[in-house]
Amino acid sequence: DVLENIIYALFFGVIGARLYYVLFNLKHYIANPMEILNFRDGGLAIYGGLILGAITLCISLKIKKINILDFFDRIVPCVAIAQAIGRWGNFFNVEAYGIETKSILRMGIFKNNSYLEVHPMFLYESLLNFILFFILIKLQGKRKFKGQVLLGYLIGYSMFRMILESFRIDSLMIFNFRVSQILSIIIFITTILIYIVLNGKSSKKTDN
């Protein structure tokens, strides 16, 4: 069941990642519609992949009568480790880097025949996702309520993505706002509130 559902999620997740990117670069793709299918030049947004992948899983799990929260609690640590590894693709493609810096962690790149030293955003996010992976694995063994590990992932990822997005120079924008940062703030606040409510209910049941 896990393998079958993950295949569905991966397939539609890639489509979602592309649609999300195209949606927030709509003016360019309306003028160049054939480029929508040109994946080789990049243009996949992780939030789009997560959203459509999650929707696909919910539909599939509902059909198979598998508990959705139990399933997500089982797989989200794997999502975190996959993101940690996947971010290194940004390094090899010289993309998703940050603003110029003299930090000890800076990396050198060539842009328009000029040498720049920038924040290695891929490295920051990769390391944080590795840490998040181990936290989620530990949380799995101490789960108090269904959905706790999923909420832990959403809280952790949205929190550091919200901060890291401020340093990127290639963020998708809507007006003058960074799309991923806005989404991260919404997810962070919403999931924190849900976590507090569900954890409180769980504690009351334990006391009774």
Side-chain angles (χ1 to χ4, degrees):
D1 286 327
V2 171
L3 291 174
E4 185 177 341
N5 281 286
I6 290 302
I7 289 171
Y8 299 149
L10 285 173
F11 178 77
F12 286 101
V14 171
I15 293 174
R18 184 60 171 174
L19 287 175
Y20 186 97
Y21 183 84
V22 169
L23 179 64
F24 292 103
N25 288 281
L26 202 54
K27 186 182 291 186
H28 171 78
Y29 287 104
I30 287 175
N32 305 276
M34 295 306 296
E35 289 188 18
I36 293 175
L37 300 177
N38 185 13
F39 285 65
R40 291 181 298 175
D41 287 341
L44 297 174
I46 184 63
Y47 266 133
L50 291 173
I51 291 168
L52 192 55
I55 292 171
T56 302
L57 278 177
C58 288
I59 294 171
S60 176
L61 294 171
K62 197 73 176 174
I63 292 171
K64 292 177 175 292
K65 298 181 179 178
I66 297 172
N67 187 280
I68 293 172
L69 293 179
D70 277 338
F71 189 90
F72 275 95
D73 280 348
R74 177 61 61 186
I75 68 164
V76 286
C78 302
V79 175
I81 198 72
Q83 287 178 259
I85 296 168
R87 274 300 172 194
W88 283 82
N90 297 138
F91 171 71
F92 294 115
N93 291 332
V94 192
E95 61 187 8
Y97 49 83
I99 57 177
E100 291 188 60
T101 181
K102 293 299 179 183
S103 163
I104 193 172
L105 293 175
R106 67 188 181 275
M107 74 173 187
I109 64 169
F110 283 95
K111 183 179 179 182
N112 300 326
N113 296 320
S114 299
Y115 177 75
L116 302 174
E117 292 182 332
V118 298
H119 280 287
M121 304 310 298
F122 82 93
L123 179 62
Y124 301 159
E125 189 167 329
S126 180
L127 291 174
L128 287 169
N129 270 309
F130 269 117
I131 293 169
L132 182 58
F133 166 74
F134 289 110
I135 292 173
L136 295 175
I137 287 293
K138 192 167 185 178
L139 187 59
Q140 275 186 334
K142 298 181 178 180
R143 191 178 75 153
K144 295 179 181 178
F145 58 88
K146 291 182 179 182
Q148 185 176 12
V149 186
L150 171 62
L151 289 171
Y153 165 78
L154 291 172
I155 291 168
Y157 182 71
S158 62
M159 179 178 65
F160 64 71
R161 182 64 187 268
M162 176 173 53
I163 298 167
L164 294 179
E165 197 68 23
S166 302
F167 295 91
R168 287 182 59 167
I169 64 170
D170 62 344
S171 297
L172 296 175
M173 307 292 288
I174 181 167
F175 301 112
N176 292 320
F177 300 99
R178 299 171 189 267
V179 177
S180 292
Q181 196 165 45
I182 294 172
L183 188 55
S184 294
I185 293 170
I186 293 170
I187 292 172
F188 180 73
I189 294 173
T190 304
T191 49
I192 280 282
L193 292 174
I194 294 171
Y195 192 99
I196 291 170
V197 171
L198 294 181
N199 191 53
K201 288 182 178 179
S202 174
S203 297
K204 284 181 181 179
K205 287 180 180 178
T206 303
D207 293 339
N208 292 334

